[in-house]
Amino acid sequence: MARAVASVATDDSDAASGFVLDEGFERFSQVDDVFSRSSWDERIRSEKSAKFYATYRRPLANWKSAPGFQQRDYAFRNAAWHVTDLIAAFDGESRNRDGFLDPLSALQDGPDERIQIGTPADAAKEIKHIAKAVGADLVGITAFDERWVYTERFDPGAEGPRPNPLPEGLEHCIMIGQAMDPDLIQTAPSALAGASTGLGYSHDVVVLLTLAQYIKNLGYEAVASMNDTALAIPLAIKAGLGEYGKHGLLITPEFGPSLRLGKIFTDMPLAHDKPIDFGVKQMCNMCNACSKACPSKAIPDNEPNNRLHNRSNISGITKWSIDGEKCFGYWSKINSDCSVCIRACPYTRDYRSRRNRVWLRLSKRLPKLALRLDRREGGGERKAAVEWWPVEIKPRE
Amino acid sequence: MARAVASVATDDSDAASGFVLDEGFERFSQVDDVFSRSSWDERIRSEKSAKFYATYRRPLANWKSAPGFQQRDYAFRNAAWHVTDLIAAFDGESRNRDGFLDPLSALQDGPDERIQIGTPADAAKEIKHIAKAVGADLVGITAFDERWVYTERFDPGAEGPRPNPLPEGLEHCIMIGQAMDPDLIQTAPSALAGASTGLGYSHDVVVLLTLAQYIKNLGYEAVASMNDTALAIPLAIKAGLGEYGKHGLLITPEFGPSLRLGKIFTDMPLAHDKPIDFGVKQMCNMCNACSKACPSKAIPDNEPNNRLHNRSNISGITKWSIDGEKCFGYWSKINSDCSVCIRACPYTRDYRSRRNRVWLRLSKRLPKLALRLDRREGGGERKAAVEWWPVEIKPRE
């Protein structure tokens, strides 16, 4: 059953998470998502966009000779997506796209009776413990917030809207973050870097299915979601996973913007986390690395505002916004997802290194100095794909 | 097409891997596996064994009150298996059991043309690099060895044998090791510890499908396998992943015996690894921790020999052997897989700790001392399940 229309009013945690909604706010329809539009909107749809998708099912027959776009790069990228595609029934036959247009359906019903799991704080502690054991890199919990739920899903068969039903009473949302491979990302833009996206999703899908099945096995409801059903970033910010960046991505203290998100809506009573502040706003205000690096000029170097580039932006919210048409246009051109903004971002670092953890602390207190250090160290520079591969192979003539 | 009968002759690497085959050697049929026998053999099949399997699909309705066997323990264990069960089509409808009785079938065909990947040494280097990026904890490569391929698969519908075909020319075998959660294992025997088995498989299945799809995307053949098709341990030993232990498990320097195995048969030309020796034989000869701890007395404290406990043992090979009937009988009794021998083994340690890495080096040079230290430190002792859970919950009355 579809939920009633959301109220526009902001709530207490909006301020802390930096969202400024105005009267012009409208919930987003997934029909207006740039990926959906590449099916139905002539402004986006093209031979190139069709070829872009086709290469995920079957690599190009005529390989490019550019490093990072050769046969083994596509072979690896597509293999990295394979488990996600299996679960998504991404076979071109089904009209469902679990995890992209529809929630993950591969879950079993639980028992009728609900187990008692103590206070909401106890239950939250337990859910986080399980999530980590299952392989989640990050986990946070926030309240269900209808404002970020899509008004409609996109039906790829009808090339139009379809309902986006969610069971009543799912008042809590568990946000999951799955790190993307930092070495692969350094080669962006490349088909090779696209493997980090596919692997991120494939691990995400396992964590989400396992954790959601656990909740169902306790007798509660759980709807597991990746890019479907609702916008992930506002919920992730409210769940304390990170802050919003100029490139329109979530930036976390653990992986910068180099991660995939997942979410589970549930009626299991869970205590909520609070938004965090580790200095991203001031850093993004003075840094324009992503904007400068973006090959399609899709990321303006400006202040947060409520202007819209096109219908793929959300109305009535003051924030940094990117031009999805330009962004996806570049993906179509190179036959792979881009990720250059992730590679260029000074927060994209391997924080297992002590040096990088020190940099993160510095970035909050002395962002200008941190930025200068990052650039001096060659932060964000593209690594050659051939450096990632252990063996060099000459492309076919 | 089924392969011809194997020759019995040992090859050069047998000596290094410690296999001693005699004229009595016979390839193993999966029909004689104790899990298969629990379907057709009255010596194993019972109400208890049926209930054992049933609890994996749906937890017991009447919870036990014993810690580690309560509702959330089963809820987690079964959730941990969920992705594996999905891929295995473990729904009771299909007669296939991908990963247990049949190879993983969820793979797409690759292109007709094969990419050149340099010398076999180059290709092996690349495959290992990809395996690690995909999430494999261990990877090694060995030659296909028909002696360890099952003569028959088990057909659960017909409760009898069916052919075990493998394409011709898969001369190489990539062995994958997936670590099991060391904290969960410490609570064995418990349904909770069973979650580490399920999670190990669920991560294994993602790695195997992704890596096999990569190989197929390069134009080569790849058959991805977990417990189906062939015995994993002899192949893993020859691929240099570890040594054979008294409890009948592979012992690795990275995770001890606390891991799941997977394998990919392929025709991609790959250089092979060599067996390793880090002192397991002498340690197992003087240690009887697993034998002493085994609740079902299934692990004799003896020298390697070629005696058979029952038809679930392999004929004609001198090695340590356990009594699978006793072992599985205990699993049926407790409604979960046991893992006590893994928990009790002195090699089961978290080798991320420097102290434990020092212990490993000591265990090769001074095994007696290492063993004494292990016992003094309380190595192998069971941890209470309630210690694993962050919050204590009283079982239902």
Short mmCIF file of all heavy atoms in Angstrom, two decimals, chain A residues 236-293:
data_model
loop_
_atom_site.label_atom_id
_atom_site.label_comp_id
_atom_site.label_asym_id
_atom_site.label_seq_id
_atom_site.Cartn_x
_atom_site.Cartn_y
_atom_site.Cartn_z
N ALA A 236 21.37 8.43 4.92
CA ALA A 236 22.70 8.07 5.43
C ALA A 236 23.29 9.21 6.27
O ALA A 236 23.95 8.97 7.29
CB ALA A 236 23.64 7.73 4.28
N ILE A 237 23.04 10.44 5.85
CA ILE A 237 23.53 11.59 6.61
C ILE A 237 22.86 11.62 7.98
O ILE A 237 23.51 11.78 9.01
CB ILE A 237 23.29 12.90 5.84
CG1 ILE A 237 24.14 12.93 4.56
CG2 ILE A 237 23.61 14.11 6.73
CD1 ILE A 237 23.81 14.07 3.61
N LYS A 238 21.54 11.43 7.99
CA LYS A 238 20.81 11.45 9.27
C LYS A 238 21.18 10.26 10.15
O LYS A 238 21.05 10.34 11.38
CB LYS A 238 19.31 11.51 9.00
CG LYS A 238 18.93 12.82 8.30
CD LYS A 238 17.45 12.99 8.12
CE LYS A 238 16.85 13.61 9.36
NZ LYS A 238 15.48 14.12 9.09
N ALA A 239 21.63 9.18 9.54
CA ALA A 239 22.05 8.00 10.31
C ALA A 239 23.49 8.13 10.80
O ALA A 239 24.03 7.21 11.41
CB ALA A 239 21.89 6.74 9.47
N GLY A 240 24.12 9.29 10.49
CA GLY A 240 25.45 9.53 11.03
C GLY A 240 26.58 8.88 10.26
O GLY A 240 27.70 8.76 10.77
N LEU A 241 26.31 8.48 9.02
CA LEU A 241 27.38 7.82 8.26
C LEU A 241 28.38 8.82 7.69
O LEU A 241 29.54 8.47 7.46
CB LEU A 241 26.78 6.99 7.11
CG LEU A 241 26.72 5.48 7.31
CD1 LEU A 241 26.07 5.11 8.62
CD2 LEU A 241 25.99 4.80 6.15
N GLY A 242 27.93 10.05 7.44
CA GLY A 242 28.86 11.02 6.88
C GLY A 242 28.16 12.33 6.55
O GLY A 242 27.04 12.58 7.00
N GLU A 243 28.85 13.17 5.77
CA GLU A 243 28.31 14.46 5.37
C GLU A 243 28.17 14.53 3.86
O GLU A 243 28.76 13.73 3.13
CB GLU A 243 29.25 15.57 5.85
CG GLU A 243 29.32 15.72 7.36
CD GLU A 243 30.09 16.97 7.75
OE1 GLU A 243 29.59 18.09 7.54
OE2 GLU A 243 31.23 16.83 8.24
N TYR A 244 27.44 15.53 3.41
CA TYR A 244 27.18 15.71 1.99
C TYR A 244 28.31 16.52 1.36
O TYR A 244 28.77 17.51 1.93
CB TYR A 244 25.85 16.45 1.83
CG TYR A 244 25.32 16.48 0.41
CD1 TYR A 244 24.83 15.33 -0.20
CD2 TYR A 244 25.29 17.67 -0.31
CE1 TYR A 244 24.33 15.36 -1.49
CE2 TYR A 244 24.79 17.70 -1.61
CZ TYR A 244 24.31 16.55 -2.19
OH TYR A 244 23.83 16.57 -3.47
N GLY A 245 28.76 16.11 0.16
CA GLY A 245 29.87 16.80 -0.50
C GLY A 245 29.44 17.54 -1.76
O GLY A 245 28.35 17.33 -2.28
N LYS A 246 30.35 18.36 -2.24
CA LYS A 246 30.07 19.19 -3.42
C LYS A 246 29.75 18.35 -4.65
O LYS A 246 29.00 18.77 -5.53
CB LYS A 246 31.30 20.09 -3.70
CG LYS A 246 31.08 21.16 -4.73
CD LYS A 246 32.32 22.05 -4.90
CE LYS A 246 32.33 23.22 -3.93
NZ LYS A 246 33.53 24.09 -4.07
N HIS A 247 30.30 17.15 -4.72
CA HIS A 247 30.06 16.26 -5.85
C HIS A 247 28.74 15.51 -5.74
O HIS A 247 28.45 14.62 -6.54
CB HIS A 247 31.21 15.27 -6.05
CG HIS A 247 31.80 14.75 -4.78
ND1 HIS A 247 31.06 14.44 -3.67
CD2 HIS A 247 33.11 14.50 -4.44
CE1 HIS A 247 31.87 14.01 -2.71
NE2 HIS A 247 33.12 14.04 -3.14
N GLY A 248 27.95 15.87 -4.71
CA GLY A 248 26.65 15.24 -4.56
C GLY A 248 26.71 13.85 -3.96
O GLY A 248 25.73 13.11 -3.98
N LEU A 249 27.87 13.50 -3.40
CA LEU A 249 28.05 12.18 -2.80
C LEU A 249 28.17 12.29 -1.29
O LEU A 249 28.53 13.34 -0.76
CB LEU A 249 29.31 11.52 -3.36
CG LEU A 249 29.36 11.30 -4.87
CD1 LEU A 249 30.76 10.85 -5.30
CD2 LEU A 249 28.32 10.28 -5.31
N LEU A 250 27.89 11.20 -0.61
CA LEU A 250 28.14 11.11 0.82
C LEU A 250 29.64 11.00 1.06
O LEU A 250 30.31 10.21 0.38
CB LEU A 250 27.44 9.87 1.38
CG LEU A 250 27.61 9.62 2.87
CD1 LEU A 250 26.71 10.57 3.67
CD2 LEU A 250 27.28 8.17 3.23
N ILE A 251 30.15 11.78 2.02
CA ILE A 251 31.57 11.66 2.39
C ILE A 251 31.64 11.13 3.82
O ILE A 251 31.06 11.71 4.72
CB ILE A 251 32.30 13.02 2.28
CG1 ILE A 251 32.23 13.52 0.83
CG2 ILE A 251 33.74 12.90 2.75
CD1 ILE A 251 32.94 14.86 0.60
N THR A 252 32.34 10.01 3.98
CA THR A 252 32.43 9.37 5.30
C THR A 252 33.84 9.51 5.85
O THR A 252 34.80 9.65 5.08
CB THR A 252 32.10 7.86 5.19
OG1 THR A 252 33.13 7.22 4.41
CG2 THR A 252 30.76 7.65 4.51
N PRO A 253 33.99 9.48 7.18
CA PRO A 253 35.34 9.57 7.76
C PRO A 253 36.16 8.30 7.53
O PRO A 253 37.37 8.32 7.68
CB PRO A 253 35.09 9.75 9.26
CG PRO A 253 33.63 9.93 9.44
CD PRO A 253 32.95 9.42 8.21
N GLU A 254 35.50 7.20 7.16
CA GLU A 254 36.20 5.93 7.02
C GLU A 254 36.68 5.67 5.59
O GLU A 254 37.74 5.07 5.38
CB GLU A 254 35.30 4.76 7.45
CG GLU A 254 34.97 4.72 8.94
CD GLU A 254 33.79 5.63 9.30
OE1 GLU A 254 33.23 6.28 8.39
OE2 GLU A 254 33.42 5.67 10.49
N PHE A 255 35.90 6.11 4.60
CA PHE A 255 36.23 5.80 3.20
C PHE A 255 36.07 7.01 2.29
O PHE A 255 36.09 6.87 1.07
CB PHE A 255 35.33 4.65 2.69
CG PHE A 255 35.32 3.45 3.59
CD1 PHE A 255 34.22 3.15 4.38
CD2 PHE A 255 36.43 2.63 3.67
CE1 PHE A 255 34.22 2.06 5.23
CE2 PHE A 255 36.45 1.53 4.52
CZ PHE A 255 35.33 1.25 5.30
N GLY A 256 35.91 8.19 2.85
CA GLY A 256 35.60 9.34 2.01
C GLY A 256 34.32 9.06 1.25
O GLY A 256 33.38 8.47 1.80
N PRO A 257 34.27 9.47 -0.05
CA PRO A 257 33.06 9.20 -0.85
C PRO A 257 33.13 7.86 -1.57
O PRO A 257 32.26 7.58 -2.40
CB PRO A 257 33.08 10.36 -1.85
CG PRO A 257 34.53 10.63 -2.07
CD PRO A 257 35.23 10.34 -0.76
N SER A 258 34.13 7.05 -1.24
CA SER A 258 34.38 5.82 -2.00
C SER A 258 33.62 4.65 -1.38
O SER A 258 34.21 3.76 -0.75
CB SER A 258 35.88 5.57 -2.03
OG SER A 258 36.18 4.46 -2.83
N LEU A 259 32.31 4.65 -1.54
CA LEU A 259 31.50 3.55 -1.00
C LEU A 259 30.15 3.49 -1.68
O LEU A 259 29.73 4.43 -2.34
CB LEU A 259 31.32 3.69 0.52
CG LEU A 259 30.32 4.68 1.10
CD1 LEU A 259 30.10 4.39 2.58
CD2 LEU A 259 30.76 6.12 0.92
N ARG A 260 29.49 2.34 -1.55
CA ARG A 260 28.11 2.16 -1.98
C ARG A 260 27.23 2.12 -0.75
O ARG A 260 27.67 1.70 0.32
CB ARG A 260 27.89 0.87 -2.76
CG ARG A 260 28.80 0.55 -3.92
CD ARG A 260 29.09 1.64 -4.86
NE ARG A 260 27.94 2.28 -5.48
CZ ARG A 260 28.04 3.27 -6.36
NH1 ARG A 260 29.23 3.74 -6.72
NH2 ARG A 260 26.98 3.81 -6.88
N LEU A 261 25.97 2.51 -0.93
CA LEU A 261 25.04 2.54 0.20
C LEU A 261 23.94 1.49 0.02
O LEU A 261 23.59 1.12 -1.09
CB LEU A 261 24.40 3.92 0.31
CG LEU A 261 25.38 5.06 0.63
CD1 LEU A 261 24.67 6.41 0.53
CD2 LEU A 261 25.99 4.88 2.01
N GLY A 262 23.41 1.05 1.13
CA GLY A 262 22.24 0.19 1.14
C GLY A 262 21.38 0.57 2.32
O GLY A 262 21.85 1.31 3.20
N LYS A 263 20.15 0.10 2.36
CA LYS A 263 19.26 0.47 3.46
C LYS A 263 18.24 -0.63 3.71
O LYS A 263 17.86 -1.35 2.79
CB LYS A 263 18.57 1.80 3.18
CG LYS A 263 17.88 1.89 1.84
CD LYS A 263 17.59 3.35 1.49
CE LYS A 263 16.89 3.53 0.14
NZ LYS A 263 17.72 3.15 -1.03
N ILE A 264 17.85 -0.75 4.95
CA ILE A 264 16.79 -1.70 5.32
C ILE A 264 15.75 -0.95 6.13
O ILE A 264 16.05 -0.39 7.19
CB ILE A 264 17.36 -2.88 6.13
CG1 ILE A 264 18.34 -3.69 5.28
CG2 ILE A 264 16.23 -3.77 6.63
CD1 ILE A 264 19.08 -4.78 6.04
N PHE A 265 14.52 -0.92 5.63
CA PHE A 265 13.40 -0.34 6.37
C PHE A 265 12.81 -1.43 7.25
O PHE A 265 12.56 -2.54 6.76
CB PHE A 265 12.33 0.18 5.42
CG PHE A 265 12.82 1.27 4.50
CD1 PHE A 265 13.09 0.99 3.17
CD2 PHE A 265 13.01 2.56 4.98
CE1 PHE A 265 13.56 2.00 2.32
CE2 PHE A 265 13.47 3.56 4.13
CZ PHE A 265 13.74 3.29 2.80
N THR A 266 12.57 -1.13 8.52
CA THR A 266 12.08 -2.17 9.42
C THR A 266 11.15 -1.60 10.50
O THR A 266 11.21 -0.40 10.80
CB THR A 266 13.25 -2.93 10.09
OG1 THR A 266 12.74 -3.97 10.91
CG2 THR A 266 14.09 -2.01 10.95
N ASP A 267 10.33 -2.51 11.06
CA ASP A 267 9.49 -2.13 12.20
C ASP A 267 10.10 -2.59 13.52
O ASP A 267 9.48 -2.46 14.56
CB ASP A 267 8.07 -2.68 12.03
CG ASP A 267 8.04 -4.19 11.82
OD1 ASP A 267 9.11 -4.82 11.84
OD2 ASP A 267 6.94 -4.73 11.61
N MET A 268 11.30 -3.16 13.46
CA MET A 268 11.97 -3.52 14.71
C MET A 268 12.35 -2.22 15.43
O MET A 268 13.03 -1.37 14.85
CB MET A 268 13.24 -4.33 14.41
CG MET A 268 14.05 -4.66 15.65
SD MET A 268 15.65 -5.40 15.21
CE MET A 268 15.25 -7.11 15.43
N PRO A 269 11.90 -2.06 16.67
CA PRO A 269 12.19 -0.79 17.38
C PRO A 269 13.70 -0.62 17.60
O PRO A 269 14.34 -1.45 18.25
CB PRO A 269 11.45 -0.95 18.71
CG PRO A 269 10.45 -2.04 18.49
CD PRO A 269 11.07 -2.96 17.49
N LEU A 270 14.25 0.45 17.03
CA LEU A 270 15.70 0.67 17.07
C LEU A 270 16.01 2.10 17.47
O LEU A 270 15.37 3.03 16.98
CB LEU A 270 16.30 0.41 15.67
CG LEU A 270 16.22 -1.00 15.10
CD1 LEU A 270 16.63 -1.01 13.63
CD2 LEU A 270 17.11 -1.95 15.90
N ALA A 271 16.99 2.28 18.32
CA ALA A 271 17.46 3.63 18.66
C ALA A 271 18.17 4.23 17.45
O ALA A 271 18.76 3.51 16.65
CB ALA A 271 18.41 3.56 19.85
N HIS A 272 18.10 5.56 17.34
CA HIS A 272 18.65 6.24 16.16
C HIS A 272 19.98 6.92 16.46
O HIS A 272 20.23 7.34 17.58
CB HIS A 272 17.64 7.28 15.65
CG HIS A 272 16.33 6.67 15.25
ND1 HIS A 272 15.16 7.37 15.16
CD2 HIS A 272 16.01 5.37 14.93
CE1 HIS A 272 14.18 6.55 14.79
NE2 HIS A 272 14.67 5.34 14.66
N ASP A 273 20.78 7.03 15.40
CA ASP A 273 22.05 7.75 15.51
C ASP A 273 21.85 9.22 15.16
O ASP A 273 20.78 9.62 14.70
CB ASP A 273 23.07 7.09 14.57
CG ASP A 273 23.40 5.68 15.00
OD1 ASP A 273 23.91 5.53 16.13
OD2 ASP A 273 23.13 4.74 14.24
N LYS A 274 22.90 10.00 15.37
CA LYS A 274 22.83 11.44 15.08
C LYS A 274 23.80 11.78 13.95
O LYS A 274 24.82 11.12 13.78
CB LYS A 274 23.23 12.21 16.34
CG LYS A 274 22.16 12.18 17.42
CD LYS A 274 22.44 13.26 18.45
CE LYS A 274 21.48 13.21 19.63
NZ LYS A 274 20.20 12.54 19.42
N PRO A 275 23.47 12.83 13.19
CA PRO A 275 24.40 13.28 12.14
C PRO A 275 25.77 13.63 12.73
O PRO A 275 25.87 14.01 13.90
CB PRO A 275 23.71 14.52 11.57
CG PRO A 275 22.26 14.35 11.89
CD PRO A 275 22.23 13.64 13.22
N ILE A 276 26.79 13.52 11.93
CA ILE A 276 28.14 13.86 12.38
C ILE A 276 28.67 15.07 11.60
O ILE A 276 28.18 15.39 10.52
CB ILE A 276 29.12 12.67 12.21
CG1 ILE A 276 29.18 12.20 10.73
CG2 ILE A 276 28.74 11.53 13.12
CD1 ILE A 276 30.23 11.14 10.45
N ASP A 277 29.66 15.73 12.18
CA ASP A 277 30.30 16.88 11.53
C ASP A 277 31.80 16.71 11.68
O ASP A 277 32.33 16.79 12.78
CB ASP A 277 29.82 18.17 12.21
CG ASP A 277 30.55 19.41 11.65
OD1 ASP A 277 31.42 19.26 10.77
OD2 ASP A 277 30.22 20.53 12.12
N PHE A 278 32.46 16.40 10.58
CA PHE A 278 33.93 16.32 10.65
C PHE A 278 34.57 17.30 9.67
O PHE A 278 35.70 17.10 9.22
CB PHE A 278 34.43 14.88 10.49
CG PHE A 278 34.07 14.20 9.19
CD1 PHE A 278 35.01 14.03 8.19
CD2 PHE A 278 32.79 13.71 8.98
CE1 PHE A 278 34.68 13.38 6.99
CE2 PHE A 278 32.45 13.06 7.79
CZ PHE A 278 33.40 12.91 6.81
N GLY A 279 33.82 18.38 9.38
CA GLY A 279 34.43 19.49 8.65
C GLY A 279 34.28 19.47 7.15
O GLY A 279 34.94 20.24 6.44
N VAL A 280 33.40 18.61 6.63
CA VAL A 280 33.27 18.47 5.17
C VAL A 280 32.77 19.77 4.53
O VAL A 280 33.27 20.17 3.47
CB VAL A 280 32.34 17.28 4.82
CG1 VAL A 280 31.98 17.29 3.34
CG2 VAL A 280 33.00 15.97 5.21
N LYS A 281 31.80 20.44 5.21
CA LYS A 281 31.22 21.63 4.58
C LYS A 281 32.28 22.68 4.29
O LYS A 281 32.37 23.23 3.19
CB LYS A 281 30.10 22.20 5.45
CG LYS A 281 28.75 21.60 5.09
CD LYS A 281 27.71 21.89 6.14
CE LYS A 281 26.74 20.72 6.24
NZ LYS A 281 27.34 19.46 6.76
N GLN A 282 33.09 22.99 5.29
CA GLN A 282 34.12 24.02 5.08
C GLN A 282 35.17 23.55 4.06
O GLN A 282 35.65 24.34 3.25
CB GLN A 282 34.76 24.46 6.40
CG GLN A 282 35.32 23.32 7.24
CD GLN A 282 36.10 23.80 8.46
OE1 GLN A 282 36.39 24.99 8.60
NE2 GLN A 282 36.43 22.88 9.35
N MET A 283 35.48 22.26 4.09
CA MET A 283 36.45 21.75 3.12
C MET A 283 35.92 21.87 1.70
O MET A 283 36.60 22.38 0.81
CB MET A 283 36.78 20.28 3.46
CG MET A 283 37.68 19.60 2.45
SD MET A 283 39.34 20.33 2.33
CE MET A 283 40.19 19.37 3.60
N CYS A 284 34.69 21.40 1.49
CA CYS A 284 34.11 21.47 0.14
C CYS A 284 33.97 22.93 -0.32
O CYS A 284 34.12 23.22 -1.51
CB CYS A 284 32.74 20.78 0.09
SG CYS A 284 32.82 18.97 0.06
N ASN A 285 33.68 23.81 0.63
CA ASN A 285 33.55 25.22 0.26
C ASN A 285 34.84 25.78 -0.33
O ASN A 285 34.79 26.63 -1.22
CB ASN A 285 33.13 26.05 1.49
CG ASN A 285 31.61 26.17 1.57
OD1 ASN A 285 30.93 26.22 0.55
ND2 ASN A 285 31.09 26.19 2.80
N MET A 286 35.98 25.29 0.16
CA MET A 286 37.23 25.85 -0.37
C MET A 286 37.91 24.95 -1.42
O MET A 286 38.78 25.40 -2.14
CB MET A 286 38.20 26.17 0.77
CG MET A 286 38.74 24.98 1.52
SD MET A 286 39.94 25.49 2.79
CE MET A 286 38.98 26.63 3.77
N CYS A 287 37.48 23.71 -1.49
CA CYS A 287 38.09 22.77 -2.45
C CYS A 287 37.24 22.69 -3.71
O CYS A 287 36.02 22.66 -3.63
CB CYS A 287 38.17 21.38 -1.80
SG CYS A 287 38.74 20.06 -2.91
N ASN A 288 37.87 22.66 -4.85
CA ASN A 288 37.09 22.46 -6.08
C ASN A 288 37.68 21.31 -6.91
O ASN A 288 37.54 21.28 -8.13
CB ASN A 288 37.00 23.76 -6.90
CG ASN A 288 38.38 24.15 -7.44
OD1 ASN A 288 39.39 23.62 -6.98
ND2 ASN A 288 38.40 25.02 -8.43
N ALA A 289 38.29 20.38 -6.20
CA ALA A 289 38.97 19.27 -6.90
C ALA A 289 38.02 18.49 -7.79
O ALA A 289 38.34 18.17 -8.94
CB ALA A 289 39.64 18.34 -5.89
N CYS A 290 36.83 18.17 -7.27
CA CYS A 290 35.89 17.36 -8.05
C CYS A 290 35.38 18.14 -9.25
O CYS A 290 35.28 17.61 -10.36
CB CYS A 290 34.73 16.86 -7.18
SG CYS A 290 33.77 18.15 -6.35
N SER A 291 35.07 19.41 -9.00
CA SER A 291 34.53 20.26 -10.05
C SER A 291 35.54 20.41 -11.19
O SER A 291 35.21 20.32 -12.37
CB SER A 291 34.18 21.61 -9.44
OG SER A 291 33.79 22.52 -10.43
N LYS A 292 36.80 20.60 -10.79
CA LYS A 292 37.87 20.79 -11.76
C LYS A 292 38.15 19.50 -12.54
O LYS A 292 38.43 19.52 -13.74
CB LYS A 292 39.13 21.19 -10.98
CG LYS A 292 40.12 22.05 -11.73
CD LYS A 292 41.14 22.59 -10.75
CE LYS A 292 42.53 22.63 -11.37
NZ LYS A 292 43.57 22.91 -10.36
N ALA A 293 38.06 18.37 -11.83
CA ALA A 293 38.41 17.09 -12.46
C ALA A 293 37.29 16.54 -13.34
O ALA A 293 37.56 15.77 -14.27
CB ALA A 293 38.76 16.07 -11.38
#
